[in-house]
Amino acid sequence: DAGVIQSPRHEVTEMGQEVTLRCKPISGHDYLFWYRQTMMRGLELLIYFNNNVPIDDSGMPEDRFSAKMPNASFSTLKIQPSEPRDSAVYFCASSPGPGPYTFGSGTRLTVV
Amino acid sequence: KQEVTQIPAALSVPEGENLVLNCSFTDSAIYNLQWFRQDPGKGLTSLLLIQSSQREQTSGRLNASLDKSSGRSTLYIAASQPGDSATYLCAVMDSSYKLIFGSGTRLLVRP
């Protein structure tokens, strides 16, 4: 298995633009998680899915953020409109449940 | 609300030293505890996972212990090498399988 695949690796966008981050989890993993990492706040859980259903989105900072998982092999995290304070590394991770997480390589987002 | 704290925030040691990284958590109702390594600009690599019923796990030069009742875990690295330089993150899994992370310990092993 190629692991958790995220795209793009880097994204630079202007304030106000829409940004879409993508994630392909490991096949067979029922859980998918979106995290954000910044120097100030460390790793924060934004939202997670179980069997494609959003379970807890309490970490999503604002209505500008939305996430979907249309099928077991694909998830998106969208920011619309983007702001400079959204600049961070966004990680996707998947797990079979009560087991080790596998993280993707992350998307480094810069909003100018 | 679960809070995870890691001490020290940064550590610099000469090559060959044995070292201990500390992690504490406020709520003992955890499912498991995981240690990760993160290299600069990279993702997270899982090192060790300790189930709540276990006391320790070992992998090569790494040994992680868990004392759930006191809310503490340690990661022991034997005979440290420059290649061990990275940030080490502790995370606890709650009953809904969410991981809550500490802020990490930045380790530098000097040749």
Side-chain angles (χ1 to χ4, degrees):
Chain A
D1 199 320
V4 176
I5 300 173
Q6 290 187 247
S7 64
R9 290 296 308 276
H10 302 275
E11 177 80 35
V12 180
T13 191
E14 291 185 347
M15 182 174 62
Q17 297 297 307
E18 177 179 295
V19 175
T20 299
L21 311 182
R22 298 173 176 79
C23 175
K24 176 180 168 54
I26 290 175
S27 177
H29 281 191
D30 294 332
Y31 289 80
L32 183 139
F33 305 84
W34 283 101
Y35 282 84
R36 178 172 69 176
Q37 186 176 38
T38 61
M39 288 293 293
M40 290 298 295
R41 300 173 69 90
L43 272 161
E44 303 173 284
L45 177 64
L46 300 177
I47 185 172
Y48 79 99
F49 295 83
N50 180 22
N51 291 323
N52 313 337
V53 177
I55 302 301
D56 184 348
D57 65 355
S58 59
M60 297 285 261
E62 299 172 31
D63 292 344
R64 298 184 296 106
F65 286 69
S66 62
K68 294 182 179 180
M69 192 165 185
N71 56 62
S73 59
F74 184 65
S75 176
T76 60
L77 178 67
K78 185 176 294 186
I79 308 173
Q80 165 64 18
S82 57
E83 296 182 4
R85 59 194 167 118
D86 301 331
S87 298
V89 181
Y90 291 80
F91 286 105
C92 174
S94 69
S95 85
Y101 277 32
T102 301
F103 279 80
S105 299
T107 294
R108 183 173 297 276
L109 173 65
T110 303
V111 184
V112 298
Chain B
K1 179 185 173 185
Q2 178 74 270
E3 292 184 1
V4 181
T5 303
Q6 290 188 246
I7 294 174
L11 185 62
S12 178
V13 300
E15 181 177 5
E17 271 203 11
N18 302 325
L19 56 99
V20 174
L21 308 181
N22 296 292
C23 173
S24 62
F25 47 95
T26 55
D27 186 349
S28 62
I30 64 171
Y31 205 98
N32 61 47
L33 183 144
Q34 301 181 33
W35 283 93
F36 293 85
R37 168 184 173 141
Q38 185 175 28
D39 293 285
K42 303 293 186 183
L44 281 73
T45 301
S46 180
L47 296 175
L48 289 166
L49 182 154
I50 311 176
Q51 300 292 354
S52 62
S53 59
Q54 296 177 320
R55 298 284 293 184
E56 65 177 333
Q57 280 285 341
T58 298
S59 176
R61 294 181 295 107
L62 305 180
N63 176 275
S65 67
L66 173 64
D67 184 342
K68 199 173 75 163
S69 61
S70 68
R72 295 180 182 179
S73 176
T74 61
L75 179 66
Y76 176 83
I77 303 177
S80 59
Q81 304 170 358
D84 295 331
S85 298
T87 295
Y88 290 81
L89 293 154
C90 167
V92 297
M93 179 178 281
D94 66 15
S95 57
S96 58
Y97 307 146
K98 295 186 297 187
L99 275 183
I100 297 96
F101 282 84
S103 54
T105 294
R106 290 192 314 278
L107 173 64
L108 174 65
V109 182
R110 307 186 304 271

